[in-house]
Amino acid sequence: MKSASHSSKLIIGLHALIILAAYTSPFWLSWKLILLGVVVYYLQLLVFGWCVLSLKQFDGRKQTFHEWYLAKLGIYPNPKILKFFLDFIIPPVLVLVALAIQ
């Protein structure tokens, strides 16, 4: 059986990889697939009320990966403003950047 530490590291790594892929996606992925990814992201929020990886990583506590990581760097943004930025600013910007460069 895997330890909680190993499982947690796996979730953190997967979470970071998905975020990195999303943020770089306009440079290597069709805008149509990015739009599909944004829709899936919003469906996840609608169905689960939060990011499923964050819920797993933080044992059901509603905290974002970004908030957690920034706190490790000594940066403590307002959680509500950060969540708004992550949910309503970044996804459309990714689609718009992809449309602009493709």
Side-chain angles (χ1 to χ4, degrees):
M1 181 151 74
K2 295 177 183 174
S3 69
S5 167
H6 177 72
S7 175
S8 181
K9 287 179 182 178
L10 184 63
I11 291 169
I12 291 168
L14 179 61
H15 217 159
L17 187 63
I18 289 170
I19 291 167
L20 179 63
Y23 287 169
T24 62
S25 64
F27 303 102
W28 57 272
L29 193 60
S30 165
W31 68 268
K32 295 172 188 174
L33 291 175
I34 295 170
L35 182 60
L36 178 63
V38 168
V39 169
V40 169
Y41 176 72
Y42 285 137
L43 285 174
Q44 165 192 243
L45 296 179
L46 184 66
V47 172
F48 298 103
W50 207 261
C51 169
V52 292
L53 283 175
S54 290
L55 290 172
K56 180 69 174 163
Q57 180 178 347
F58 305 117
D59 296 322
R61 194 173 72 244
K62 290 191 173 181
Q63 179 179 13
T64 68
F65 180 87
H66 293 76
E67 182 183 355
W68 170 80
Y69 193 79
L70 288 170
K72 290 184 123 344
L73 298 174
I75 303 167
Y76 301 94
N78 179 309
K80 288 182 181 181
I81 293 172
L82 179 61
K83 183 77 168 116
F84 177 83
F85 189 78
L86 294 171
D87 290 348
F88 300 107
I89 304 299
I90 291 178
V93 165
L94 290 174
V95 174
L96 291 173
V97 168
L99 280 169
I101 64 176
Q102 294 176 22

